[in-house]
């Protein structure tokens, strides 16, 4: 398992507390990316599906499609599988695998598997430049001409210092959960993120426990993805006049 995937295994316990908000912010742009996808061309491939909130939206936006949802981190995948298994409609349509993006980039050119679209949300900055180029090439080879590769970029196009900020505070039962995040440049086109989940006892009481993780993130804008993939790219930052999470839509090369 990669370092990143094991980091998500620790903090994955808390991911559902933030996932609904993330899905609400990127859902409208995802709908734009997936409009007109032809489900007869193969399943939708979702890479780094996390706990499955985006998987639910993919299922809604491409009603006739089956979905292959890959997730390498065990804790995240446990929640994903639980979500899929609990919903008869998703259970029929979604196949969960433990593959990483790197595994897929190595495998797809060998197997010749076909997909109708790809969704890569909140994941791509975990891959280095060579890994991303291999992924774009594998996806381009596995999609019909013009089919979308929808990539959510996490809103960091260039390295910058982000002082510690509380991203979320939620009560669940008698406990309060806080999510803190900080970032700093860690090299050319890279940042180190430190995130901490803090759990407090009843009534804003004593700290119960803390889970901290750190990871490197390659900062990317839509133009970077277009340049390194050689694919046509468009950027979506608003839908119907409302701001959304920034999504890059790459499109498979014409035959
Ligand atoms: C920020 S979460 C996003 C989850 C989900 N896509 C969403 O938007 O709700 C990032 C996910 O990417 C996964 N991930 C990290 N490195 C990966 C890799 N190399 N290949 C595939 N997934 C990876 C993590 O395990 C985690 O579930």
């Amino acid at each position: 398992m990669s370092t990143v995937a094991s980091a998500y295994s620790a903090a994955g316990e808390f991911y559902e507390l933030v996932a609904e908000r993330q899905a609400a912010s990127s859902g409208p742009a995802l709908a734009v990316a997936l409009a007109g996808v032809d489900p007869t061309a193969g399943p939708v491939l979702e890479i780094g599906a996390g706990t499955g909130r985006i998987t639910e939206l993919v299922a809604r936006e491409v009603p006739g499609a089956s979905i292959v949802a890959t997730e390498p981190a065990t804790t995240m995948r446990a929640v994903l599988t639980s979500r899929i298994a609990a919903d008869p409609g998703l259970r029929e349509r979604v196949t969960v695998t433990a593959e990483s993006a790197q595994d897929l980039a190595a495998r797809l050119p060998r197997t010749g598997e076909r997909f109708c679209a790809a969704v890569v949300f909140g994941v791509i900055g975990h891959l280095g430049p060579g890994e991303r180029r291999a992924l774009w090439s594998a996806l381009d080879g596995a999609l019909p001409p013009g089919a979308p590769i929808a990539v959510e970029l996490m809103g960091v196009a260039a390295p910058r210092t982000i002082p510690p900020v509380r991203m979320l505070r939620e009560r669940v039962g008698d406990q309060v959960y806080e999510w803190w995040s900080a970032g700093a440049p860690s090299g050319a086109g890279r940042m180190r993120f430190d995130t901490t989940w803090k759990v407090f006892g009843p009534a804003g009481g004593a700290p119960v426990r803390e889970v901290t993780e750190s990871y490197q993130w390659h900062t990317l804008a839509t133009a970077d993805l277009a340049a390194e993939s050689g694919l046509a790219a468009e950027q979506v930052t608003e839908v119907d006049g409302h701001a959304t999470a920034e999504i890059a839509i790459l499109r498979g090369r014409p035959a």
Side-chain angles (χ1 to χ4, degrees):
M1 186 190 293
S2 72
T3 323
V4 165
S6 34
Y8 278 99
S9 275
E13 173 188 351
F14 307 105
Y15 194 74
E16 275 293 283
L17 293 173
V18 71
E20 190 174 357
R21 189 171 78 183
Q22 313 267 55
S25 131
S26 43
L30 178 68
V32 169
L34 294 179
V37 161
D38 173 10
T40 64
V44 177
L45 175 61
E46 187 189 1
I47 301 175
T51 57
R53 293 274 178 177
I54 298 294
T55 319
E56 288 178 329
L57 299 182
V58 171
R60 188 182 74 197
E61 296 303 331
V62 195
S66 54
I67 299 166
V68 174
T70 80
E71 174 48 57
T74 311
T75 312
M76 301 290 262
R77 194 171 63 253
V79 180
L80 171 66
T81 302
S82 167
R83 168 164 281 119
I84 302 306
D87 179 315
L90 293 176
R91 197 181 173 119
E92 187 63 31
R93 295 169 60 193
V94 182
T95 302
V96 175
T97 84
E99 289 173 297
S100 67
Q102 292 88 334
D103 294 335
L104 289 161
R107 185 171 68 78
L108 296 183
R110 287 201 313 270
T111 60
E113 224 171 310
R114 306 290 298 167
F115 298 93
C116 66
V119 174
V120 191
F121 270 34
V123 179
I124 201 63
H126 290 310
L127 275 62
E131 294 171 323
R132 295 196 305 271
R133 278 194 296 274
L135 182 65
W136 304 138
S137 169
L139 292 179
D140 183 34
L143 293 171
I149 304 168
V151 187
E152 199 246 327
L153 294 168
M154 303 288 273
V156 271
R160 65 177 196 271
T161 299
I162 304 174
V165 59
R166 191 178 70 197
M167 310 283 286
L168 170 144
R169 181 178 164 86
E170 293 278 342
R171 188 176 70 79
V172 179
D174 285 340
Q175 298 188 135
V176 171
Y177 293 73
E178 292 186 356
W179 179 36
W180 289 79
S181 183
S186 61
R190 268 193 316 158
M191 288 178 66
R192 173 194 160 106
F193 278 94
D194 296 301
T195 76
T196 302
W197 284 92
K198 302 180 182 183
V199 185
F200 298 94
V208 175
R209 61 200 173 98
E210 275 192 18
V211 174
T212 297
E213 69 178 25
S214 299
Y215 58 85
Q216 297 289 324
W217 182 262
H218 297 264
T219 58
L220 293 161
T222 299
D224 300 319
L225 303 193
E228 68 186 22
S229 67
L231 300 175
E234 65 194 272
Q235 183 189 41
V236 180
T237 54
E238 65 165 61
V239 177
D240 297 334
H242 298 288
T244 70
E246 181 186 346
I247 307 287
I249 308 174
L250 306 177
R251 296 213 179 259
R253 251 178 272 270

